Amino acid sequence: MSNNHSPKSTTLGELAGQAGEGLRVFGGSGALVTSVEYDSRNVKKGSLFVAVDGMKTDGHHYIAEAVEKGATAVCVSEKRAGECDSLKTRGIGVVGAENPRNALSRLSATLYGFPSRAMVAIGITGTNGKTSITYMLESVLKRHGFNPGVVGTVNYRWGGQARPAPNTTPESRDLQEMLFRMKQEGVNALVMEVSSHGLELGRADDMDFDVALFTNLTRDHLDFHGDFESYFNAKKRLFALLEKSGKKGRCGIVNIDDPYGNELYMMRNHYSYPFKSFGTEGGADYMPSPGSVENTLRGVRYVMERPHPGVEIALRLPGRFQVYNSLAAVAAAHHLGVSYEAIAAGLAEIESVPGRFDVLLGDGGYAIVVDYAHTVDALQKLLTSAGELEHRRLITVFGCGGDRDRTKRPLMGKVAEEHSDIVIVTSDNPRSEDPGSIIADIVTGMTPGRHEIIPDREEAIRRAVETAGEGDIVVIAGKGHEDYQIIGKEKIHFDDKETAARWMRPGAGAGRTR
């Protein structure tokens, strides 16, 4: 980080005092702190090292290494503060926390000056649709005159630059540093995907949101959350964070066509801020006119019925599910005072969203759709939307990731079979699992003889493309924008769209992007 992106240094006592309850300084309150770190490899002179219990290791094991690298203070579990008595005699500051992970968030936000308070902040959660909505709101807010920053699955971007996104929602310390940098560089509006993992792990705990937006909830991440109720509770935390936000004019926005979104909406009186709803099935605050939705390969169009009848929305993004995503963006932007003119213009300017119904047109009269759909619901919506388009046959290529929820595999196989004319089951990111075992789980939900198994993903894509003829639509699902495949511990380059283009007739790269 360059100097102009560094926070002001402070003492441990001042930092802990400003961070609030749950922290107790046991010694070295005068220690100078210039950064907060949770990874001992990033510690430098002046760092406060926070010993967080990680997914695979305990940060307390790395205290000695952090001190050796120059840490002037450590934050540990209050129950283990006694283990650090020797550090106090060496002049190292020691602060105890009821929960070091929560302390990491609070200390980081405090050191960086709570940067989310200096910008409009929109948090988006839900199983599907988050990424598309961030692209939509980014375009709309730019059109309105904002200078937006985006934190999401595809990348982190602001100021014309995109940074890699290791996690949809970064660790709290990294998030606060990023927002600090955004603020320094003139960002005044934040659009952020807030994942269930990020919410459960407290990564967004010290964000001050203006808007909390809920898209839907379908089966996913049960390997992490354990059960569906815990998954939903994690998502609901975004609305609790909005409740404690110090912003004026806050608003919750939910999809009431989704049963969990509707449940949230019915709980709206539990919150001090208003809720607004979107949907297509009637009764929503933001909804299209019945029968006005047109879904073609050129994109989706519809006319608003509520709250202002006659507003026309035209997207160059195909897929009926984009109606919901755009309604969410319309509701959030309108609440923030953006005109319908700017909303419609901003939405119309988006040419594509990486890996979300990304279309290639083959010279042989067929189309290829690359999409990130990796849940049962997302795959069903993807194939339903593709099936609505004029076509001869629907050819689907998909697999499931390894070391993830196994229970969804046969369900995805069943959905693929029900909505396709031809299905090729292949490998996704097998990680440490045997690709054959993953495929075996998938096909237990399918009818024998009604699908083809090709474990090699490139070979599966080649087979699908070479099978396609005039009027066919090939759907390649599961990886979308990802440009890699994880096999064992190795991460190799692999891009579905790039691979499909290579096999399109006549010759490499013959396809045209819509």
Side-chain angles (χ1 to χ4, degrees), residues 23-67:
L23 296 172
R24 181 182 172 192
V25 178
F26 287 95
S29 62
L32 193 66
V33 175
T34 58
S35 74
V36 175
E37 304 292 347
Y38 62 93
D39 187 334
S40 59
R41 293 169 294 186
N42 296 330
V43 167
K44 52 189 177 292
K45 185 174 176 56
S47 293
L48 164 59
F49 175 68
V50 183
V52 175
D53 286 340
M55 303 293 287
K56 297 179 180 178
T57 187
D58 181 353
H60 292 81
H61 296 157
Y62 298 91
I63 290 173
E65 179 185 334
V67 170

Coordinates of all heavy atoms in Angstrom, one line a residue, residues 23-67:
L23 N -13.3 -5.4 24.1 CA -11.9 -5.4 24.0 C -11.3 -4.9 25.4 O -11.8 -3.9 26.0 CB -11.4 -4.4 22.9 CG -11.8 -4.8 21.5 CD1 -11.4 -3.7 20.5 CD2 -11.1 -6.1 21.1
R24 N -10.2 -5.5 25.8 CA -9.6 -5.2 27.0 C -8.1 -5.2 26.9 O -7.5 -6.2 26.5 CB -10.0 -6.2 28.1 CG -9.4 -5.9 29.5 CD -9.9 -7.0 30.5 NE -9.2 -6.9 31.8 CZ -9.2 -7.8 32.7 NH1 -9.9 -8.9 32.5 NH2 -8.5 -7.6 33.8
V25 N -7.5 -4.0 27.1 CA -6.0 -3.9 27.0 C -5.4 -4.4 28.3 O -5.6 -3.9 29.4 CB -5.6 -2.5 26.7 CG1 -4.1 -2.4 26.6 CG2 -6.3 -2.0 25.4
F26 N -4.5 -5.5 28.1 CA -3.8 -6.1 29.3 C -2.4 -5.5 29.5 O -1.8 -5.7 30.5 CB -3.7 -7.6 29.1 CG -5.0 -8.3 29.2 CD1 -5.8 -8.6 28.1 CD2 -5.5 -8.7 30.5 CE1 -7.0 -9.3 28.3 CE2 -6.7 -9.3 30.6 CZ -7.4 -9.6 29.5
G27 N -1.9 -4.8 28.5 CA -0.6 -4.2 28.6 C -0.1 -3.6 27.4 O -0.6 -3.9 26.3
G28 N 0.8 -2.6 27.5 CA 1.3 -2.0 26.3 C 0.4 -1.1 25.6 O 0.4 -1.0 24.3
S29 N -0.4 -0.3 26.3 CA -1.5 0.5 25.7 C -0.8 1.6 24.9 O -1.5 2.2 24.0 CB -2.4 1.1 26.7 OG -1.7 1.9 27.6
G30 N 0.4 2.0 25.1 CA 1.1 3.0 24.4 C 1.8 2.5 23.1 O 2.4 3.3 22.3
A31 N 1.7 1.2 22.8 CA 2.3 0.7 21.6 C 1.7 1.3 20.3 O 0.5 1.5 20.2 CB 2.1 -0.9 21.5
L32 N 2.6 1.7 19.4 CA 2.1 2.4 18.2 C 1.6 1.4 17.2 O 2.3 0.5 16.9 CB 3.3 3.3 17.6 CG 2.9 4.3 16.6 CD1 2.0 5.4 17.1 CD2 4.1 4.9 15.9
V33 N 0.4 1.6 16.7 CA -0.2 0.7 15.7 C -0.3 1.5 14.4 O -1.0 2.5 14.3 CB -1.6 0.2 16.2 CG1 -2.2 -0.6 15.1 CG2 -1.4 -0.6 17.4
T34 N 0.2 0.9 13.3 CA 0.1 1.5 12.0 C -0.7 0.6 11.0 O -1.1 1.1 9.9 CB 1.5 1.7 11.3 OG1 2.2 0.4 11.3 CG2 2.3 2.6 12.2
S35 N -1.0 -0.6 11.4 CA -1.8 -1.5 10.5 C -2.4 -2.6 11.4 O -1.9 -2.9 12.5 CB -1.0 -2.1 9.4 OG -0.1 -3.1 9.8
V36 N -3.5 -3.2 10.9 CA -4.1 -4.4 11.5 C -3.9 -5.5 10.5 O -4.2 -5.4 9.3 CB -5.6 -4.1 11.8 CG1 -6.3 -5.4 12.3 CG2 -5.8 -3.0 12.8
E37 N -3.5 -6.6 11.0 CA -3.2 -7.8 10.2 C -3.8 -9.1 10.8 O -3.7 -9.2 12.1 CB -1.8 -8.0 9.9 CG -1.1 -6.8 9.3 CD -1.5 -6.5 7.8 OE1 -2.2 -7.3 7.2 OE2 -1.2 -5.4 7.3
Y38 N -4.3 -10.0 10.0 CA -4.7 -11.3 10.6 C -3.8 -12.4 10.0 O -3.9 -13.6 10.4 CB -6.2 -11.6 10.2 CG -6.5 -11.6 8.8 CD1 -6.5 -12.8 8.1 CD2 -6.7 -10.4 8.1 CE1 -6.7 -12.8 6.7 CE2 -7.0 -10.5 6.7 CZ -7.0 -11.7 6.0 OH -7.2 -11.7 4.7
D39 N -3.1 -12.1 8.9 CA -2.2 -13.1 8.3 C -0.7 -12.7 8.7 O -0.2 -11.6 8.4 CB -2.3 -13.0 6.8 CG -1.6 -14.1 6.0 OD1 -0.5 -14.6 6.6 OD2 -2.0 -14.4 4.9
S40 N -0.1 -13.6 9.4 CA 1.3 -13.3 10.0 C 2.2 -13.0 8.8 O 3.2 -12.3 9.0 CB 1.8 -14.4 10.8 OG 1.8 -15.7 10.1
R41 N 2.0 -13.5 7.6 CA 2.9 -13.3 6.5 C 2.9 -11.8 6.1 O 3.8 -11.3 5.4 CB 2.5 -14.2 5.3 CG 2.8 -15.7 5.6 CD 2.1 -16.5 4.5 NE 0.7 -16.4 4.5 CZ -0.1 -17.2 3.8 NH1 0.4 -18.1 3.0 NH2 -1.4 -17.0 3.9
N42 N 1.8 -11.1 6.4 CA 1.7 -9.7 6.0 C 2.1 -8.7 7.1 O 2.0 -7.5 6.9 CB 0.3 -9.4 5.6 CG -0.2 -10.1 4.4 OD1 0.7 -10.5 3.5 ND2 -1.4 -10.4 4.3
V43 N 2.5 -9.2 8.3 CA 2.9 -8.4 9.4 C 4.2 -7.6 9.1 O 5.1 -8.1 8.5 CB 3.1 -9.2 10.7 CG1 3.7 -8.4 11.8 CG2 1.7 -9.7 11.2
K44 N 4.2 -6.4 9.5 CA 5.4 -5.5 9.4 C 5.5 -4.7 10.6 O 4.7 -4.8 11.6 CB 5.3 -4.6 8.1 CG 4.0 -3.8 8.1 CD 3.9 -3.1 6.8 CE 2.6 -2.3 6.6 NZ 1.4 -3.2 6.6
K45 N 6.6 -3.9 10.7 CA 6.8 -3.1 11.9 C 5.6 -2.2 12.2 O 5.2 -1.5 11.3 CB 8.1 -2.3 11.8 CG 8.5 -1.6 13.1 CD 9.8 -0.9 12.9 CE 10.2 0.0 14.1 NZ 10.1 -0.8 15.4
G46 N 5.0 -2.3 13.4 CA 3.9 -1.4 13.7 C 2.6 -2.1 13.6 O 1.5 -1.5 13.8
S47 N 2.5 -3.4 13.2 CA 1.3 -4.1 13.0 C 0.7 -4.5 14.3 O 1.4 -4.9 15.2 CB 1.5 -5.3 12.1 OG 1.8 -5.0 10.8
L48 N -0.7 -4.5 14.3 CA -1.4 -5.2 15.4 C -1.9 -6.5 14.8 O -2.7 -6.5 13.8 CB -2.6 -4.3 15.8 CG -3.7 -5.0 16.6 CD1 -3.2 -5.6 17.9 CD2 -4.9 -4.1 16.9
F49 N -1.4 -7.6 15.3 CA -1.7 -8.9 14.8 C -2.9 -9.5 15.5 O -2.9 -9.6 16.8 CB -0.5 -9.9 14.9 CG -0.9 -11.3 14.5 CD1 -1.2 -11.6 13.1 CD2 -0.9 -12.3 15.4 CE1 -1.5 -12.9 12.7 CE2 -1.3 -13.6 15.0 CZ -1.5 -13.9 13.7
V50 N -4.0 -9.8 14.8 CA -5.2 -10.3 15.4 C -5.2 -11.8 15.2 O -5.2 -12.3 14.0 CB -6.5 -9.7 14.8 CG1 -7.7 -10.2 15.5 CG2 -6.4 -8.2 14.9
A51 N -5.2 -12.6 16.3 CA -5.2 -14.1 16.2 C -6.6 -14.6 16.0 O -7.3 -14.9 17.0 CB -4.5 -14.6 17.4
V52 N -7.0 -14.8 14.8 CA -8.3 -15.3 14.4 C -8.3 -16.8 14.3 O -7.4 -17.4 13.7 CB -8.8 -14.6 13.1 CG1 -10.2 -15.2 12.7 CG2 -8.9 -13.1 13.3
D53 N -9.3 -17.4 14.8 CA -9.5 -18.9 14.5 C -10.0 -19.0 13.1 O -11.1 -18.6 12.7 CB -10.5 -19.5 15.4 CG -10.0 -19.7 16.8 OD1 -8.7 -19.7 17.0 OD2 -10.8 -19.8 17.8
G54 N -9.1 -19.5 12.2 CA -9.5 -19.6 10.8 C -10.3 -20.9 10.5 O -10.6 -21.7 11.4
M55 N -10.6 -21.2 9.2 CA -11.3 -22.4 8.8 C -10.4 -23.6 9.0 O -10.9 -24.7 9.3 CB -11.7 -22.3 7.4 CG -12.6 -21.1 7.1 SD -14.2 -21.1 7.8 CE -15.0 -22.4 6.8
K56 N -9.1 -23.4 8.9 CA -8.2 -24.6 8.9 C -7.1 -24.5 10.0 O -6.4 -25.5 10.3 CB -7.5 -24.8 7.5 CG -8.5 -25.1 6.4 CD -7.8 -25.3 5.1 CE -8.7 -25.6 4.0 NZ -8.1 -25.7 2.6
T57 N -6.9 -23.3 10.6 CA -5.8 -23.1 11.5 C -6.2 -22.1 12.6 O -7.2 -21.3 12.4 CB -4.5 -22.7 10.8 OG1 -3.5 -22.7 11.8 CG2 -4.6 -21.3 10.2
D58 N -5.4 -22.0 13.6 CA -5.7 -21.1 14.7 C -4.6 -20.0 14.7 O -3.4 -20.3 14.8 CB -5.6 -21.9 16.1 CG -5.9 -21.0 17.3 OD1 -6.0 -19.8 17.1 OD2 -6.0 -21.6 18.4
G59 N -5.1 -18.8 14.6 CA -4.1 -17.7 14.5 C -3.2 -17.5 15.7 O -2.1 -16.9 15.6
H60 N -3.6 -18.1 16.9 CA -2.8 -18.0 18.1 C -1.5 -18.7 17.9 O -0.5 -18.4 18.6 CB -3.6 -18.5 19.3 CG -4.7 -17.7 19.7 ND1 -6.0 -17.8 19.1 CD2 -4.9 -16.8 20.7 CE1 -6.8 -16.9 19.7 NE2 -6.2 -16.3 20.6
H61 N -1.5 -19.6 17.0 CA -0.2 -20.4 16.7 C 0.8 -19.5 16.0 O 2.0 -19.9 15.9 CB -0.5 -21.6 15.8 CG -1.4 -22.6 16.5 ND1 -2.1 -23.5 15.8 CD2 -1.7 -22.8 17.8 CE1 -2.8 -24.3 16.6 NE2 -2.6 -23.9 17.8
Y62 N 0.4 -18.4 15.5 CA 1.3 -17.5 14.7 C 1.8 -16.3 15.4 O 2.3 -15.4 14.8 CB 0.7 -17.2 13.3 CG 0.4 -18.5 12.5 CD1 -0.8 -19.1 12.6 CD2 1.4 -19.0 11.7 CE1 -1.1 -20.3 11.9 CE2 1.1 -20.2 11.0 CZ -0.1 -20.8 11.1 OH -0.3 -21.9 10.4
I63 N 1.4 -16.1 16.7 CA 1.8 -14.9 17.4 C 3.3 -14.7 17.5 O 3.8 -13.6 17.2 CB 1.2 -15.0 18.9 CG1 -0.3 -14.9 18.8 CG2 1.8 -13.9 19.7 CD1 -1.0 -15.1 20.1
A64 N 4.0 -15.7 17.8 CA 5.5 -15.6 17.9 C 6.1 -15.1 16.5 O 7.0 -14.2 16.5 CB 6.1 -16.9 18.3
E65 N 5.6 -15.7 15.4 CA 6.1 -15.3 14.1 C 5.7 -13.8 13.8 O 6.6 -13.1 13.3 CB 5.4 -16.2 13.0 CG 5.8 -15.8 11.6 CD 5.1 -16.6 10.6 OE1 4.7 -17.8 10.9 OE2 4.9 -16.1 9.4
A66 N 4.5 -13.4 14.2 CA 4.1 -12.0 14.0 C 5.0 -11.0 14.8 O 5.4 -10.0 14.2 CB 2.6 -11.8 14.4
V67 N 5.3 -11.4 16.0 CA 6.1 -10.5 16.8 C 7.5 -10.4 16.3 O 8.2 -9.4 16.2 CB 6.1 -11.0 18.3 CG1 7.2 -10.3 19.1 CG2 4.8 -10.9 18.9

